[in-house]
Short mmCIF file of all heavy atoms in Angstrom, two decimals:
data_model
loop_
_atom_site.label_atom_id
_atom_site.label_comp_id
_atom_site.label_asym_id
_atom_site.label_seq_id
_atom_site.Cartn_x
_atom_site.Cartn_y
_atom_site.Cartn_z
N GLY A 203 -30.89 161.24 -148.24
CA GLY A 203 -30.20 160.74 -147.04
C GLY A 203 -31.06 160.29 -145.93
O GLY A 203 -30.63 160.25 -144.72
N GLU A 204 -32.29 159.85 -146.28
CA GLU A 204 -33.20 159.35 -145.24
C GLU A 204 -32.93 157.87 -144.97
O GLU A 204 -33.19 157.04 -145.88
CB GLU A 204 -34.65 159.56 -145.65
CG GLU A 204 -35.08 160.99 -145.75
CD GLU A 204 -35.18 161.60 -144.33
OE1 GLU A 204 -35.63 160.89 -143.41
OE2 GLU A 204 -34.78 162.81 -144.16
N PRO A 205 -32.44 157.47 -143.76
CA PRO A 205 -32.21 156.05 -143.48
C PRO A 205 -33.37 155.13 -143.66
O PRO A 205 -33.21 153.97 -144.07
CB PRO A 205 -31.74 156.09 -142.03
CG PRO A 205 -31.23 157.44 -141.80
CD PRO A 205 -32.09 158.37 -142.66
N ALA A 206 -34.56 155.65 -143.47
CA ALA A 206 -35.80 154.83 -143.59
C ALA A 206 -36.00 154.35 -145.02
O ALA A 206 -36.76 153.42 -145.25
CB ALA A 206 -36.99 155.60 -143.10
N THR A 207 -35.32 154.96 -145.97
CA THR A 207 -35.53 154.51 -147.41
C THR A 207 -34.61 153.34 -147.82
O THR A 207 -34.74 152.84 -148.92
CB THR A 207 -35.22 155.71 -148.39
OG1 THR A 207 -33.83 156.12 -148.19
CG2 THR A 207 -36.12 156.85 -148.10
N VAL A 208 -33.69 152.94 -146.91
CA VAL A 208 -32.78 151.89 -147.22
C VAL A 208 -33.44 150.59 -147.74
O VAL A 208 -33.05 150.06 -148.80
CB VAL A 208 -31.79 151.59 -146.06
CG1 VAL A 208 -31.03 150.27 -146.31
CG2 VAL A 208 -30.89 152.72 -145.89
N PRO A 209 -34.44 150.05 -147.01
CA PRO A 209 -35.09 148.80 -147.53
C PRO A 209 -35.63 148.95 -148.94
O PRO A 209 -35.53 148.03 -149.75
CB PRO A 209 -36.17 148.51 -146.50
CG PRO A 209 -35.69 149.18 -145.29
CD PRO A 209 -35.02 150.41 -145.73
N PHE A 210 -36.30 150.09 -149.17
CA PHE A 210 -36.88 150.33 -150.55
C PHE A 210 -35.75 150.36 -151.57
O PHE A 210 -35.86 149.70 -152.67
CB PHE A 210 -37.62 151.62 -150.54
CG PHE A 210 -38.27 151.92 -151.87
CD1 PHE A 210 -39.50 151.42 -152.23
CD2 PHE A 210 -37.59 152.77 -152.76
CE1 PHE A 210 -40.03 151.72 -153.47
CE2 PHE A 210 -38.12 153.10 -154.02
CZ PHE A 210 -39.35 152.52 -154.37
N ILE A 211 -34.67 151.06 -151.28
CA ILE A 211 -33.57 151.17 -152.21
C ILE A 211 -32.89 149.82 -152.43
O ILE A 211 -32.54 149.41 -153.58
CB ILE A 211 -32.56 152.25 -151.77
CG1 ILE A 211 -33.20 153.64 -151.80
CG2 ILE A 211 -31.34 152.25 -152.63
CD1 ILE A 211 -32.39 154.72 -151.12
N GLU A 212 -32.70 149.10 -151.38
CA GLU A 212 -32.02 147.77 -151.48
C GLU A 212 -32.83 146.80 -152.35
O GLU A 212 -32.23 145.89 -152.97
CB GLU A 212 -31.88 147.18 -150.06
CG GLU A 212 -30.73 147.71 -149.31
CD GLU A 212 -30.57 147.01 -147.98
OE1 GLU A 212 -31.61 146.66 -147.36
OE2 GLU A 212 -29.44 146.87 -147.44
N SER A 213 -34.13 146.97 -152.46
CA SER A 213 -34.93 146.04 -153.23
C SER A 213 -34.59 146.08 -154.71
O SER A 213 -34.94 145.19 -155.45
CB SER A 213 -36.44 146.34 -153.00
OG SER A 213 -36.77 147.60 -153.61
N TYR A 214 -33.90 147.15 -155.15
CA TYR A 214 -33.53 147.25 -156.57
C TYR A 214 -32.08 146.84 -156.83
O TYR A 214 -31.68 146.87 -158.00
CB TYR A 214 -33.73 148.72 -157.03
CG TYR A 214 -35.21 149.08 -157.09
CD1 TYR A 214 -35.78 149.73 -156.06
CD2 TYR A 214 -35.98 148.77 -158.21
CE1 TYR A 214 -37.16 150.10 -156.08
CE2 TYR A 214 -37.31 149.08 -158.26
CZ TYR A 214 -37.92 149.73 -157.21
OH TYR A 214 -39.21 150.07 -157.24
N LEU A 215 -31.37 146.36 -155.82
CA LEU A 215 -29.97 146.05 -156.00
C LEU A 215 -29.78 144.82 -156.89
O LEU A 215 -28.75 144.70 -157.61
CB LEU A 215 -29.30 145.77 -154.64
CG LEU A 215 -27.76 145.69 -154.64
CD1 LEU A 215 -27.12 146.94 -155.23
CD2 LEU A 215 -27.21 145.41 -153.26
N ASP A 216 -30.73 143.92 -156.94
CA ASP A 216 -30.64 142.75 -157.82
C ASP A 216 -31.66 142.81 -158.94
O ASP A 216 -32.09 141.78 -159.48
CB ASP A 216 -30.80 141.42 -157.02
CG ASP A 216 -32.15 141.39 -156.28
OD1 ASP A 216 -32.91 142.38 -156.30
OD2 ASP A 216 -32.43 140.39 -155.66
N SER A 217 -32.10 144.03 -159.28
CA SER A 217 -33.04 144.21 -160.36
C SER A 217 -32.46 143.67 -161.72
O SER A 217 -31.27 143.78 -161.94
CB SER A 217 -33.42 145.70 -160.56
OG SER A 217 -34.18 145.99 -161.72
N PRO A 218 -33.31 143.15 -162.57
CA PRO A 218 -32.84 142.76 -163.91
C PRO A 218 -32.47 143.93 -164.80
O PRO A 218 -31.86 143.78 -165.83
CB PRO A 218 -34.03 141.92 -164.49
CG PRO A 218 -35.22 142.45 -163.78
CD PRO A 218 -34.72 142.80 -162.33
N ILE A 219 -32.87 145.12 -164.36
CA ILE A 219 -32.62 146.36 -165.12
C ILE A 219 -31.33 147.03 -164.63
O ILE A 219 -31.24 147.36 -163.44
CB ILE A 219 -33.80 147.36 -165.00
CG1 ILE A 219 -35.08 146.71 -165.55
CG2 ILE A 219 -33.51 148.64 -165.73
CD1 ILE A 219 -36.32 147.53 -165.27
N VAL A 220 -30.30 147.13 -165.44
CA VAL A 220 -29.01 147.53 -165.03
C VAL A 220 -29.01 148.96 -164.44
O VAL A 220 -28.36 149.28 -163.47
CB VAL A 220 -27.98 147.46 -166.21
CG1 VAL A 220 -28.39 148.34 -167.35
CG2 VAL A 220 -26.58 147.75 -165.69
N GLU A 221 -29.85 149.82 -165.04
CA GLU A 221 -29.97 151.19 -164.54
C GLU A 221 -30.45 151.22 -163.07
O GLU A 221 -29.95 152.02 -162.25
CB GLU A 221 -30.91 152.02 -165.37
CG GLU A 221 -30.41 152.34 -166.76
CD GLU A 221 -30.78 151.26 -167.76
OE1 GLU A 221 -31.21 150.20 -167.37
OE2 GLU A 221 -30.68 151.57 -168.97
N LEU A 222 -31.35 150.35 -162.74
CA LEU A 222 -31.87 150.36 -161.36
C LEU A 222 -30.88 149.68 -160.40
O LEU A 222 -30.74 150.11 -159.25
CB LEU A 222 -33.21 149.57 -161.32
CG LEU A 222 -34.38 150.33 -161.96
CD1 LEU A 222 -35.63 149.46 -161.93
CD2 LEU A 222 -34.63 151.66 -161.26
N ARG A 223 -30.14 148.69 -160.86
CA ARG A 223 -29.07 148.14 -160.02
C ARG A 223 -28.04 149.18 -159.71
O ARG A 223 -27.58 149.35 -158.57
CB ARG A 223 -28.34 146.91 -160.72
CG ARG A 223 -29.27 145.70 -160.88
CD ARG A 223 -28.44 144.48 -161.12
NE ARG A 223 -27.58 144.60 -162.31
CZ ARG A 223 -27.98 144.30 -163.54
NH1 ARG A 223 -29.21 143.96 -163.78
NH2 ARG A 223 -27.11 144.44 -164.54
N TRP A 224 -27.61 149.93 -160.76
CA TRP A 224 -26.65 151.01 -160.56
C TRP A 224 -27.16 152.06 -159.62
O TRP A 224 -26.49 152.48 -158.68
CB TRP A 224 -26.35 151.64 -161.96
CG TRP A 224 -25.76 153.02 -161.75
CD1 TRP A 224 -24.42 153.29 -161.58
CD2 TRP A 224 -26.42 154.26 -161.78
NE1 TRP A 224 -24.25 154.61 -161.45
CE2 TRP A 224 -25.46 155.26 -161.56
CE3 TRP A 224 -27.74 154.63 -161.89
CZ2 TRP A 224 -25.77 156.62 -161.49
CZ3 TRP A 224 -28.13 155.99 -161.80
CH2 TRP A 224 -27.12 156.99 -161.66
N ALA A 225 -28.42 152.45 -159.82
CA ALA A 225 -28.97 153.55 -158.96
C ALA A 225 -29.04 153.07 -157.50
O ALA A 225 -28.74 153.86 -156.54
CB ALA A 225 -30.35 153.93 -159.45
N SER A 226 -29.44 151.84 -157.28
CA SER A 226 -29.51 151.29 -155.88
C SER A 226 -28.12 151.29 -155.28
O SER A 226 -27.97 151.74 -154.14
CB SER A 226 -30.08 149.88 -155.98
OG SER A 226 -30.07 149.32 -154.67
N ALA A 227 -27.13 150.81 -156.01
CA ALA A 227 -25.74 150.79 -155.44
C ALA A 227 -25.29 152.17 -155.12
O ALA A 227 -24.64 152.45 -154.08
CB ALA A 227 -24.80 150.09 -156.44
N PHE A 228 -25.51 153.10 -156.08
CA PHE A 228 -25.05 154.51 -155.85
C PHE A 228 -25.73 155.07 -154.56
O PHE A 228 -25.12 155.66 -153.73
CB PHE A 228 -25.48 155.35 -157.07
CG PHE A 228 -25.02 156.77 -156.93
CD1 PHE A 228 -23.85 157.25 -157.42
CD2 PHE A 228 -25.87 157.71 -156.29
CE1 PHE A 228 -23.48 158.57 -157.30
CE2 PHE A 228 -25.54 159.04 -156.14
CZ PHE A 228 -24.32 159.46 -156.70
N ALA A 229 -27.08 154.93 -154.48
CA ALA A 229 -27.80 155.50 -153.36
C ALA A 229 -27.40 154.81 -152.01
O ALA A 229 -27.30 155.51 -151.03
CB ALA A 229 -29.33 155.29 -153.58
N LEU A 230 -27.15 153.52 -152.02
CA LEU A 230 -26.79 152.83 -150.79
C LEU A 230 -25.43 153.28 -150.32
O LEU A 230 -25.19 153.44 -149.14
CB LEU A 230 -26.83 151.30 -150.99
CG LEU A 230 -28.22 150.69 -151.19
CD1 LEU A 230 -28.11 149.21 -151.58
CD2 LEU A 230 -29.04 150.83 -149.90
N THR A 231 -24.52 153.54 -151.25
CA THR A 231 -23.19 154.04 -150.87
C THR A 231 -23.37 155.36 -150.17
O THR A 231 -22.71 155.67 -149.21
CB THR A 231 -22.26 154.17 -152.07
OG1 THR A 231 -22.23 152.91 -152.75
CG2 THR A 231 -20.90 154.58 -151.70
N ARG A 232 -24.19 156.22 -150.76
CA ARG A 232 -24.51 157.51 -150.12
C ARG A 232 -25.05 157.38 -148.73
O ARG A 232 -24.75 158.18 -147.82
CB ARG A 232 -25.51 158.27 -150.99
CG ARG A 232 -26.32 159.33 -150.31
CD ARG A 232 -25.56 160.57 -149.99
NE ARG A 232 -26.39 161.56 -149.45
CZ ARG A 232 -26.44 161.94 -148.15
NH1 ARG A 232 -25.66 161.32 -147.32
NH2 ARG A 232 -27.22 162.93 -147.77
N LEU A 233 -25.78 156.28 -148.44
CA LEU A 233 -26.31 156.05 -147.13
C LEU A 233 -25.43 155.26 -146.22
O LEU A 233 -25.83 154.74 -145.20
CB LEU A 233 -27.70 155.36 -147.34
CG LEU A 233 -28.80 156.23 -147.92
CD1 LEU A 233 -29.89 155.37 -148.50
CD2 LEU A 233 -29.36 157.20 -146.87
N GLY A 234 -24.16 155.10 -146.66
CA GLY A 234 -23.19 154.47 -145.83
C GLY A 234 -23.13 152.94 -145.89
O GLY A 234 -22.53 152.26 -145.06
N ILE A 235 -23.77 152.37 -146.94
CA ILE A 235 -23.77 150.89 -147.16
C ILE A 235 -22.89 150.56 -148.32
O ILE A 235 -23.18 150.99 -149.47
CB ILE A 235 -25.18 150.42 -147.40
CG1 ILE A 235 -26.11 150.76 -146.14
CG2 ILE A 235 -25.21 148.93 -147.62
CD1 ILE A 235 -27.56 150.49 -146.34
N ALA A 236 -21.80 149.84 -148.04
CA ALA A 236 -20.85 149.46 -149.11
C ALA A 236 -20.53 147.99 -148.98
O ALA A 236 -19.29 147.61 -148.99
CB ALA A 236 -19.60 150.30 -149.05
N CYS A 237 -21.53 147.16 -148.89
CA CYS A 237 -21.30 145.73 -148.79
C CYS A 237 -20.83 145.20 -150.11
O CYS A 237 -20.86 145.90 -151.13
CB CYS A 237 -22.65 145.05 -148.43
SG CYS A 237 -23.96 145.28 -149.61
N PRO A 238 -20.31 143.95 -150.19
CA PRO A 238 -19.77 143.40 -151.41
C PRO A 238 -20.74 143.45 -152.61
O PRO A 238 -20.31 143.72 -153.73
CB PRO A 238 -19.41 141.95 -151.03
CG PRO A 238 -19.11 142.00 -149.56
CD PRO A 238 -20.01 143.03 -149.03
N ALA A 239 -22.02 143.26 -152.33
CA ALA A 239 -22.97 143.30 -153.43
C ALA A 239 -23.05 144.69 -154.08
O ALA A 239 -23.16 144.83 -155.27
CB ALA A 239 -24.40 142.84 -152.96
N VAL A 240 -23.00 145.74 -153.21
CA VAL A 240 -23.00 147.09 -153.72
C VAL A 240 -21.73 147.39 -154.51
O VAL A 240 -21.82 147.95 -155.61
CB VAL A 240 -23.13 148.08 -152.53
CG1 VAL A 240 -22.82 149.51 -153.00
CG2 VAL A 240 -24.53 147.98 -151.92
N VAL A 241 -20.58 146.99 -154.00
CA VAL A 241 -19.34 147.23 -154.69
C VAL A 241 -19.30 146.50 -156.00
O VAL A 241 -18.83 147.01 -157.01
CB VAL A 241 -18.14 146.84 -153.79
CG1 VAL A 241 -16.85 146.88 -154.58
CG2 VAL A 241 -18.07 147.73 -152.57
N ASP A 242 -19.82 145.24 -156.05
CA ASP A 242 -19.84 144.50 -157.28
C ASP A 242 -20.60 145.21 -158.39
O ASP A 242 -20.18 145.25 -159.55
CB ASP A 242 -20.47 143.13 -157.03
CG ASP A 242 -19.59 142.18 -156.30
OD1 ASP A 242 -18.36 142.46 -156.15
OD2 ASP A 242 -20.06 141.10 -155.81
N VAL A 243 -21.76 145.79 -158.00
CA VAL A 243 -22.55 146.47 -159.02
C VAL A 243 -21.82 147.69 -159.53
O VAL A 243 -21.77 147.99 -160.72
CB VAL A 243 -23.91 146.88 -158.41
CG1 VAL A 243 -24.64 147.85 -159.41
CG2 VAL A 243 -24.77 145.65 -158.17
N LEU A 244 -21.23 148.48 -158.66
CA LEU A 244 -20.51 149.63 -159.07
C LEU A 244 -19.34 149.32 -159.96
O LEU A 244 -19.05 149.98 -160.94
CB LEU A 244 -19.97 150.41 -157.80
CG LEU A 244 -21.10 151.07 -156.95
CD1 LEU A 244 -20.49 151.66 -155.69
CD2 LEU A 244 -21.88 152.11 -157.69
N ILE A 245 -18.61 148.27 -159.63
CA ILE A 245 -17.48 147.82 -160.49
C ILE A 245 -17.95 147.38 -161.81
O ILE A 245 -17.34 147.72 -162.89
CB ILE A 245 -16.68 146.72 -159.77
CG1 ILE A 245 -15.88 147.31 -158.55
CG2 ILE A 245 -15.76 146.00 -160.73
CD1 ILE A 245 -15.15 146.26 -157.78
N GLN A 246 -19.07 146.72 -161.90
CA GLN A 246 -19.64 146.25 -163.20
C GLN A 246 -20.01 147.48 -163.99
O GLN A 246 -19.83 147.49 -165.26
CB GLN A 246 -20.86 145.42 -162.95
CG GLN A 246 -20.56 144.07 -162.39
CD GLN A 246 -21.78 143.34 -161.81
OE1 GLN A 246 -22.96 143.77 -162.07
NE2 GLN A 246 -21.62 142.30 -161.08
N VAL A 247 -20.59 148.53 -163.40
CA VAL A 247 -21.00 149.69 -164.13
C VAL A 247 -19.83 150.54 -164.58
O VAL A 247 -19.91 151.08 -165.71
CB VAL A 247 -22.02 150.51 -163.29
CG1 VAL A 247 -22.32 151.83 -163.98
CG2 VAL A 247 -23.34 149.73 -163.08
N VAL A 248 -18.82 150.74 -163.78
CA VAL A 248 -17.67 151.50 -164.31
C VAL A 248 -17.01 150.82 -165.45
O VAL A 248 -16.43 151.48 -166.35
CB VAL A 248 -16.66 151.82 -163.19
CG1 VAL A 248 -17.27 152.70 -162.10
CG2 VAL A 248 -16.06 150.55 -162.61
N ALA A 249 -17.04 149.49 -165.54
CA ALA A 249 -16.47 148.79 -166.62
C ALA A 249 -17.30 148.82 -167.90
O ALA A 249 -16.80 148.95 -169.01
CB ALA A 249 -16.21 147.31 -166.23
N ARG A 250 -18.65 148.78 -167.67
CA ARG A 250 -19.54 148.83 -168.79
C ARG A 250 -20.84 149.53 -168.43
O ARG A 250 -21.84 148.92 -168.06
CB ARG A 250 -19.84 147.41 -169.31
CG ARG A 250 -20.76 147.37 -170.54
CD ARG A 250 -20.88 145.95 -171.13
NE ARG A 250 -19.59 145.55 -171.69
CZ ARG A 250 -19.38 144.35 -172.30
NH1 ARG A 250 -20.38 143.50 -172.40
NH2 ARG A 250 -18.23 144.08 -172.78
N PRO A 251 -20.81 150.88 -168.49
CA PRO A 251 -22.01 151.64 -168.02
C PRO A 251 -23.14 151.44 -169.03
O PRO A 251 -22.93 151.20 -170.20
CB PRO A 251 -21.51 153.10 -168.06
CG PRO A 251 -20.33 153.09 -168.95
CD PRO A 251 -19.69 151.75 -168.88
N PRO A 252 -24.41 151.65 -168.52
CA PRO A 252 -25.56 151.60 -169.43
C PRO A 252 -25.44 152.69 -170.48
O PRO A 252 -24.84 153.72 -170.29
CB PRO A 252 -26.77 151.83 -168.46
CG PRO A 252 -26.24 151.56 -167.10
CD PRO A 252 -24.77 151.89 -167.09
N GLU A 253 -26.13 152.45 -171.54
CA GLU A 253 -26.18 153.41 -172.64
C GLU A 253 -26.96 154.66 -172.19
O GLU A 253 -28.04 154.51 -171.63
CB GLU A 253 -26.77 152.85 -173.92
CG GLU A 253 -26.78 153.76 -175.12
CD GLU A 253 -27.36 153.07 -176.35
OE1 GLU A 253 -27.56 151.89 -176.31
OE2 GLU A 253 -27.63 153.80 -177.30
N LYS A 254 -26.50 155.83 -172.56
CA LYS A 254 -27.23 157.05 -172.22
C LYS A 254 -28.49 157.09 -173.00
O LYS A 254 -28.49 156.86 -174.23
CB LYS A 254 -26.40 158.28 -172.49
CG LYS A 254 -25.26 158.53 -171.50
CD LYS A 254 -24.61 159.84 -171.81
CE LYS A 254 -23.50 160.21 -170.82
NZ LYS A 254 -22.88 161.47 -171.12
N THR A 255 -29.61 157.50 -172.40
CA THR A 255 -30.89 157.60 -173.07
C THR A 255 -31.45 159.01 -172.97
O THR A 255 -32.48 159.30 -173.62
CB THR A 255 -31.90 156.59 -172.53
OG1 THR A 255 -32.14 156.89 -171.14
CG2 THR A 255 -31.39 155.20 -172.72
N GLY A 256 -30.85 159.83 -172.17
CA GLY A 256 -31.40 161.21 -172.00
C GLY A 256 -32.38 161.36 -170.86
O GLY A 256 -32.84 162.45 -170.62
N THR A 257 -32.67 160.28 -170.16
CA THR A 257 -33.66 160.39 -169.08
C THR A 257 -33.02 160.38 -167.70
O THR A 257 -33.62 160.86 -166.74
CB THR A 257 -34.72 159.28 -169.17
OG1 THR A 257 -34.09 158.00 -169.28
CG2 THR A 257 -35.63 159.49 -170.36
N MET A 258 -31.83 159.78 -167.53
CA MET A 258 -31.14 159.87 -166.24
C MET A 258 -30.43 161.18 -166.24
O MET A 258 -29.57 161.46 -167.07
CB MET A 258 -30.11 158.72 -166.07
CG MET A 258 -29.75 158.45 -164.60
SD MET A 258 -28.65 159.68 -163.87
CE MET A 258 -27.14 159.31 -164.70
N SER A 259 -30.79 162.06 -165.28
CA SER A 259 -30.42 163.49 -165.45
C SER A 259 -29.26 163.92 -164.58
O SER A 259 -28.73 165.02 -164.75
CB SER A 259 -31.62 164.37 -165.18
OG SER A 259 -32.10 164.20 -163.88
N PHE A 260 -28.81 163.12 -163.62
CA PHE A 260 -27.68 163.58 -162.76
C PHE A 260 -26.38 163.56 -163.57
O PHE A 260 -26.15 162.64 -164.31
CB PHE A 260 -27.52 162.70 -161.52
CG PHE A 260 -28.68 162.86 -160.54
CD1 PHE A 260 -29.73 161.96 -160.46
CD2 PHE A 260 -28.70 163.99 -159.73
CE1 PHE A 260 -30.72 162.11 -159.58
CE2 PHE A 260 -29.77 164.17 -158.79
CZ PHE A 260 -30.75 163.22 -158.74
N LEU A 261 -25.58 164.58 -163.41
CA LEU A 261 -24.30 164.68 -164.09
C LEU A 261 -24.41 164.41 -165.64
O LEU A 261 -23.64 163.70 -166.18
CB LEU A 261 -23.26 163.77 -163.47
CG LEU A 261 -21.76 164.11 -163.67
CD1 LEU A 261 -21.43 165.38 -162.98
CD2 LEU A 261 -20.88 162.99 -163.17
N SER A 262 -25.48 164.98 -166.19
CA SER A 262 -25.75 164.86 -167.61
C SER A 262 -25.85 163.40 -168.05
O SER A 262 -25.57 163.01 -169.15
CB SER A 262 -24.68 165.54 -168.45
OG SER A 262 -24.64 166.92 -168.12
N GLY A 263 -26.37 162.53 -167.14
CA GLY A 263 -26.60 161.12 -167.53
C GLY A 263 -25.37 160.26 -167.55
O GLY A 263 -25.41 159.19 -168.15
N SER A 264 -24.26 160.68 -166.90
CA SER A 264 -23.05 159.86 -166.92
C SER A 264 -23.06 158.77 -165.89
O SER A 264 -22.62 158.93 -164.74
CB SER A 264 -21.85 160.77 -166.76
OG SER A 264 -20.65 160.01 -166.75
N TYR A 265 -23.56 157.64 -166.23
CA TYR A 265 -23.64 156.46 -165.32
C TYR A 265 -22.23 156.10 -164.80
O TYR A 265 -22.07 155.83 -163.60
CB TYR A 265 -24.31 155.23 -165.98
CG TYR A 265 -25.77 155.40 -166.29
CD1 TYR A 265 -26.25 155.68 -167.59
CD2 TYR A 265 -26.72 155.17 -165.28
CE1 TYR A 265 -27.55 155.78 -167.86
CE2 TYR A 265 -28.06 155.30 -165.60
CZ TYR A 265 -28.48 155.54 -166.83
OH TYR A 265 -29.81 155.65 -167.15
N GLY A 266 -21.31 156.00 -165.71
CA GLY A 266 -19.95 155.53 -165.34
C GLY A 266 -19.31 156.48 -164.40
O GLY A 266 -18.66 156.07 -163.41
N SER A 267 -19.40 157.80 -164.63
CA SER A 267 -18.73 158.79 -163.73
C SER A 267 -19.38 158.77 -162.37
O SER A 267 -18.71 158.84 -161.33
CB SER A 267 -18.84 160.17 -164.37
OG SER A 267 -18.19 160.26 -165.58
N LEU A 268 -20.68 158.66 -162.33
CA LEU A 268 -21.38 158.59 -161.03
C LEU A 268 -21.06 157.31 -160.25
O LEU A 268 -20.86 157.37 -159.08
CB LEU A 268 -22.87 158.75 -161.21
CG LEU A 268 -23.37 160.13 -161.58
CD1 LEU A 268 -24.74 160.09 -162.25
CD2 LEU A 268 -23.33 161.02 -160.36
N ALA A 269 -20.94 156.27 -161.00
CA ALA A 269 -20.52 154.97 -160.34
C ALA A 269 -19.15 155.12 -159.77
O ALA A 269 -18.85 154.63 -158.69
CB ALA A 269 -20.62 153.83 -161.34
N MET A 270 -18.25 155.79 -160.52
CA MET A 270 -16.89 155.98 -160.04
C MET A 270 -16.88 156.89 -158.78
O MET A 270 -16.12 156.61 -157.81
CB MET A 270 -16.04 156.64 -161.11
CG MET A 270 -14.60 156.86 -160.75
SD MET A 270 -13.73 155.27 -160.43
CE MET A 270 -12.47 155.81 -159.25
N MET A 271 -17.71 157.88 -158.80
CA MET A 271 -17.82 158.75 -157.56
C MET A 271 -18.25 157.94 -156.37
O MET A 271 -17.74 158.10 -155.27
CB MET A 271 -18.79 159.84 -157.81
CG MET A 271 -18.32 160.96 -158.76
SD MET A 271 -19.54 162.26 -158.89
CE MET A 271 -18.69 163.38 -160.03
N ALA A 272 -19.25 157.11 -156.57
CA ALA A 272 -19.76 156.25 -155.48
C ALA A 272 -18.71 155.19 -155.07
O ALA A 272 -18.43 154.97 -153.80
CB ALA A 272 -21.03 155.54 -155.85
#
Side-chain angles (χ1 to χ4, degrees):
E204 291 290 321
T207 61
V208 168
F210 179 84
I211 294 171
E212 280 183 327
S213 69
Y214 291 96
L215 191 58
D216 59 356
S217 169
I219 301 172
V220 62
E221 290 89 345
L222 290 177
R223 291 199 303 275
W224 161 84
S226 175
F228 180 94
L230 290 171
T231 305
R232 156 73 175 106
L233 290 161
I235 300 172
C237 61
V240 168
V241 173
D242 286 349
V243 170
L244 293 174
I245 287 177
Q246 291 165 12
V247 171
V248 296
R250 183 170 293 182
E253 183 179 350
K254 286 186 178 182
T255 61
T257 50
M258 200 287 288
S259 61
F260 291 103
L261 203 64
S262 301
S264 180
Y265 290 102
S267 298
L268 286 162
M270 182 63 209
M271 288 182 177

